[in-house]
Every structure is written in structure tokens, then in C-alpha cells.
């Protein structure tokens, strides 16, 4: 029986990445029934929102989706399609593996890190109040009175909620992932030395959950020290679990260790469903040019296969991607040693090379 999957084509380079990824996943031999949906800035003029209700209905029906990049306006407009999807479906764990592939330009080698980011709490909840508004004034007055610490009246205000519930389930996810994939260590990342009642709670819960997994080493690191450690000694770390904001930042650092966001897949996972996505942006200036690498989105498809329990096929797909990258012939310009290399192929052609590898391995 075919897996029913929502495929969200996004905007910018999203549609071409989605089409290539769909072709590659179909070539694995796993049967899919695709429910293709459009979303993003292109939908604003047509439907008044970048995230139409029909897209949400499709995900509710199918429980599993894979999406290509969608542009998030900076500073104004719709806050974020990605954040909205995570909140709507309570996709509390953001899974971002960062792994070295031979042939990718990088200052580092043999990196194999897994980032597990809490997805629903922290500053990304978006509880913010603009400077000068009655709401900001009221909150400033209350917070100043309760904390006995003055807040400048011309401040914008944001709220940072971290709960036992949210922390426990994401830390448990990290340990369960580590156990399933035979990882050796989980590191909880925080700023509990300063934010004692938010990050402090995250650390406290991490330590309690760790007691249930005596087979897996546990440690914690302060987030600024963690950044330095990743640059100096990335080989000492394995699975990292973090609150939302730190997870966003650290996952990009780790992507940088392995060559950039173009090779960084991602998955957003909850109790009843999941959405998989490349972690990079939509690169609208390259839209329709058949130019950018499809690697991150195809590897996100690999994560989706693992989520569906198709581990052997996921392994085949990852090997096919790794082989194409290692050979270095049928890769896009951004994966060449020289970005001006005239032998670079297009997005579609790199996907076709991966498909050939898959078919040869059958």
C-alpha cells in the first residue's frame, strides 16, 4: 500500500527542488501517493495567505509531509510558515543531522552530529509587544514591579516560556533517537548560569530524563561554550538537545561544519505526524534557473523514509547521494571545488544522477 504524503512545493527555488525530490523518492521503489500542494508568497495574491487552509487539511489527512523552502518576510508580514506549521501540528522536535560527505567543500572532516531542537516554546512562540504600545507599557510596569529590576520604557518586550512538559518530551526524543541509532552521548545545551528559571528548568528536566537512560552518556554545556567547543572539538559531541532559539543557531553552526545549509536536511516531528524540509531558504534570485543543489531536500526525504520505517531504502538513498557527491561530476555549481566550473550540472540533472545510482544498486 502506498504512503500518502503531502508535498508542499513552496516558492523561489522550492518548486524545482520539490519536483526533483519527488522523482528521486519515486525512484527508490517505495510506493507513494502524492498530495501536491502549493504554498508561499506566490499564494498571497491568490488566496490572501502563504499558508492556505487546504494545505493544513492535506497534512491533517496524511499525517506526513515534505516541503520545499518557503520565503519568510523579514521584519513585517506573516511571521513564518514554518513556525505556523510546527505550532499547528505540535511538531515539538526539530531533527537536524549534520554529517560530512566526501566531496563537499568544508574546513572539517568526519563530522557526524545530530541536533534535536525544541520546536514549540522559548522566544519563538512569538509573544512580543511593540515599543510604546499599551500592552508593552503594562507588561513593563508589571515586570519591573515584580522583579524589582527597571526596564526602559522605550523597550520592545518578548516572553520566553519554557515548560517541564515541553522540555521533557524533546529531551526524551533525543535519548530515544540516540538509543535507536546507537549514538553514545546526549549533550543538553543551555544558559542556565544566567537564565536560572527558564534555561535552568530545561537543564533540570534534562538531568532527570537522563537518569532513565543509563546506557547513554549525558552531559550539559553552556551555549556560548558549546559554540566554541563545536569549532575546536566537534568530534567530542554526538547528539545535542537544545531549547528553540539555541537550537536554531547551533544547527546552522553545525551545518557550517559540514559545508553549509545546502547539505543539511531537517524534520519536524510530533506525536501524530511529521513534516520534513531542507533547512535552507528559498533563494528566490535563482528561481526557475535549474541551478541550486537539491541535496538538502533529498536528504530530508531520506529522513522521511526513516520516519516511515523504511530504513534499508533510506540507507540506499543516502549512499546514492553520497556517491554522486564524492564523484563530483554530476553536481551543481555550489558543490564544485570551483563555483565557476563549467562542468557543473543543474538541479534536475543532479537528481537524475542520484536516480541512476539508485537503479544501479537494485
Amino acid at each position: 500500500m502506498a504512503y500518502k504524503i503531502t508535498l508542499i512545493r513552496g516558492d523561489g527555488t522550492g518548486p524545482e527542488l520539490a519536483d526533483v525530490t519527488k522523482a528521486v523518492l519515486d525512484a527508490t521503489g517505495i510506493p507513494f501517493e502524492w498530495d501536491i500542494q502549493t504554498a508561499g508568497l506566490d499564494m498571497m495574491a491568490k488566496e490572501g495567505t502563504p499558508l492556505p487552509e487546504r494545505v493544513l487539511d492535506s497534512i491533517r489527512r496524511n499525517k506526513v509531509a515534505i516541503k520545499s523552502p518557503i520565503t519568510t518576510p523579514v521584519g513585517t508580514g506573516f511571521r513564518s510558515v514554518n513556525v505556523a506549521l510546527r505550532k499547528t501540528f505540535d511538531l515539538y522536535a526539530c531533527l537536524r543531522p549534520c554529517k560530512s560527505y566526501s566531496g563537499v567543500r568544508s574546513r572539517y572532516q568526519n563530522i557526524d552530529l545530530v541536533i534535536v531542537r525544541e520546536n514549540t516554546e522559548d522566544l519563538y512562540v512569538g509573544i512580543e509587544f511593540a515599543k510604546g504600545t499599551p500592552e508593552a507599557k503594562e507588561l513593563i510596569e508589571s515586570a519591573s514591579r515584580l522583579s524589582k529590576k527597571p526596564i526602559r520604557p522605550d523597550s520592545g518586550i518578548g516572553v520566553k516560556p519554557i515548560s517541564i512538559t515541553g522540555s521533557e518530551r524533546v529531551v526524551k526524543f533525543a535519548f530515544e533517537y540516540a538509543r535507536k541509532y546507537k549514538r553514545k552521548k546526549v549533550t543538553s545545551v543551555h544558559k542556565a548560569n544566567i537564565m536560572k528559571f527558564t534555561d535552568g528548568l530545561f537543564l533540570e528536566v534534562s538531568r532527570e530524563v537522563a537518569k532513565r537512560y543509563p546506557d547513554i552518556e549525558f552531559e550539559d554545556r553552556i551555549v556560548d561554550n558549546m559554540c566554541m567547543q563545536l569549532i575546536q572539538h566537534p568530534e567530542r559531541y554526538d547528539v545535542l538537545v537544545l531549547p528553540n532559539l539555541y537550537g536554531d543557531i547551533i544547527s546552522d553552526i553545525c551545518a557550517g561544519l559540514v559545508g553549509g545549509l545546502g547539505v543539511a536536511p531537517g524534520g519536524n516531528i510530533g506525536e501524530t505526524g511529521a513534516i520534513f524540509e531542507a533547512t535552507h531558504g528559498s533563494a528566490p534570485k535563482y528561481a526557475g534557473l535549474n541551478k541550486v543543489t537539491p541535496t538538502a531536500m533529498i536528504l530530508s526525504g531520506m529522513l522521511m523514509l526513516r520516519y516511515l520505517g523504511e530504513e534499508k531504502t533510506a540507507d540506499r538513498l543516502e549512499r546514492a547521494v553520497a556517491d554522486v557527491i564524492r564523484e563530483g561530476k554530476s553536481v551543481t555549481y555550489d558543490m564544485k571545488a570551483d563555483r565557476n566550473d563549467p562542468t557543473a550540472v543543474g538541479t534536475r540533472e543532479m537528481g537524475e544522477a542520484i536516480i541512476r545510482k539508485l537503479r544501479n544498486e537494485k
Side-chain angles (χ1 to χ4, degrees), residues 171 175 188 190 192 200-213 218-221 241:
V171 175
F175 274 97
S188 177
H190 59 86
L201 181 61
F202 186 84
L203 175 57
E204 178 186 341
V205 171
S206 296
R207 287 170 172 166
E208 288 301 314
V209 172
K211 293 176 184 177
R212 306 175 203 165
Y213 297 87
F218 171 75
E219 64 179 8
D220 70 273
R221 287 286 181 271
V241 61

Side-chain angles (χ1 to χ4, degrees), residues 12 23 65 107 173 182 230 243 268 340:
R107 296 174 184 269
F173 180 98
K182 296 180 172 54
L230 286 170
N268 303 282
N340 296 312

Side-chain angles (χ1 to χ4, degrees), residues 21-96:
T21 300
K22 175 181 177 297
V24 169
L25 287 170
D26 284 337
T28 64
I30 299 296
F32 293 104
E33 183 179 320
W34 299 103
D35 185 352
I36 299 175
Q37 297 289 330
T38 51
L41 291 185
D42 296 342
M43 295 299 104
M44 285 291 290
K46 297 179 181 178
E47 302 186 46
T49 174
L51 185 59
E53 190 64 29
R54 58 175 168 74
V55 179
L56 301 179
D57 288 341
S58 172
I59 299 170
R60 289 188 185 101
R61 287 193 304 270
N62 298 322
K63 310 299 183 187
V64 180
I66 183 167
K67 63 174 284 295
S68 56
I70 293 176
T71 304
T72 296
V74 176
T76 60
F78 196 95
R79 181 174 292 274
S80 168
V81 168
N82 294 334
V83 172
L85 287 170
R86 294 164 190 166
K87 290 175 68 175
T88 299
F89 297 103
D90 197 26
L91 305 176
Y92 64 87
C94 182
L95 178 66
R96 293 187 175 182

Side-chain angles (χ1 to χ4, degrees), residues 287-351:
L289 298 182
N290 188 41
K291 190 174 179 71
V292 300
T293 181
T295 303
M297 191 164 174
I298 292 172
L299 289 175
S300 298
M302 177 268 293
L303 294 182
M304 185 181 77
L305 287 169
R306 296 200 188 285
Y307 176 82
L308 295 171
E310 301 288 352
E311 296 284 356
K312 291 183 179 179
T313 303
D315 290 342
R316 280 181 52 230
L317 177 54
E318 186 174 19
R319 284 196 299 271
V321 172
D323 287 347
V324 168
I325 293 172
R326 184 178 61 255
E327 290 173 3
K329 297 178 182 178
S330 299
V331 297
T332 51
Y333 84 101
D334 43 358
M335 302 197 74
K336 288 287 189 179
D338 177 0
R339 293 167 72 92
N340 296 312
D341 189 332
T343 67
V345 303
T347 308
R348 184 172 54 256
E349 289 74 22
M350 184 171 177

Side-chain angles (χ1 to χ4, degrees), residues 3-225:
Y3 293 107
K4 295 182 179 180
I5 306 292
T6 299
L7 174 63
I8 304 172
R9 298 182 78 238
D11 57 35
T13 58
E16 53 204 287
L17 293 173
D19 292 347
V20 168
T21 300
K22 175 181 177 297
V24 169
L25 287 170
D26 284 337
T28 64
I30 299 296
F32 293 104
E33 183 179 320
W34 299 103
D35 185 352
I36 299 175
Q37 297 289 330
T38 51
L41 291 185
D42 296 342
M43 295 299 104
M44 285 291 290
K46 297 179 181 178
E47 302 186 46
T49 174
L51 185 59
E53 190 64 29
R54 58 175 168 74
V55 179
L56 301 179
D57 288 341
S58 172
I59 299 170
R60 289 188 185 101
R61 287 193 304 270
N62 298 322
K63 310 299 183 187
V64 180
I66 183 167
K67 63 174 284 295
S68 56
I70 293 176
T71 304
T72 296
V74 176
T76 60
F78 196 95
R79 181 174 292 274
S80 168
V81 168
N82 294 334
V83 172
L85 287 170
R86 294 164 190 166
K87 290 175 68 175
T88 299
F89 297 103
D90 197 26
L91 305 176
Y92 64 87
C94 182
L95 178 66
R96 293 187 175 182
C98 294
K99 183 176 179 179
S100 296
Y101 291 100
S102 178
V104 177
R105 295 190 315 273
S106 175
R107 296 174 184 269
Y108 296 83
Q109 295 180 341
N110 301 318
I111 302 295
D112 188 5
L113 296 163
V114 176
I115 311 304
V116 178
R117 165 189 170 191
E118 203 289 319
N119 236 357
T120 65
E121 298 192 322
D122 201 359
L123 292 169
Y124 278 33
V125 170
I127 305 174
E128 292 188 294
F129 302 93
K131 65 176 178 61
T133 60
E135 295 84 0
K137 181 180 179 181
E138 180 180 345
L139 189 55
I140 287 169
E141 290 174 351
S142 296
S144 296
R145 176 175 51 82
L146 292 169
S147 68
K148 296 182 173 56
K149 296 178 181 178
I151 300 173
R152 294 186 179 95
D154 57 349
S155 298
I157 296 292
V159 179
K160 176 187 170 85
I162 290 183
S163 70
I164 293 174
T165 301
S167 301
E168 182 174 31
R169 63 183 183 174
V170 77
V171 175
K172 180 182 176 183
F173 180 98
F175 274 97
E176 289 291 331
Y177 182 95
R179 180 175 281 174
K180 180 176 180 179
Y181 291 102
K182 296 180 172 54
R183 315 290 296 209
K184 295 180 179 179
K185 181 168 68 173
V186 172
T187 303
S188 177
V189 184
H190 59 86
K191 191 67 176 175
N193 57 325
I194 303 297
M195 286 171 277
K196 299 182 185 300
F197 304 122
T198 49
D199 287 30
L201 181 61
F202 186 84
L203 175 57
E204 178 186 341
V205 171
S206 296
R207 287 170 172 166
E208 288 301 314
V209 172
K211 293 176 184 177
R212 306 175 203 165
Y213 297 87
D215 52 315
I216 299 169
E217 182 183 350
F218 171 75
E219 64 179 8
D220 70 273
R221 287 286 181 271
I222 295 171
V223 63
D224 42 334
N225 178 260

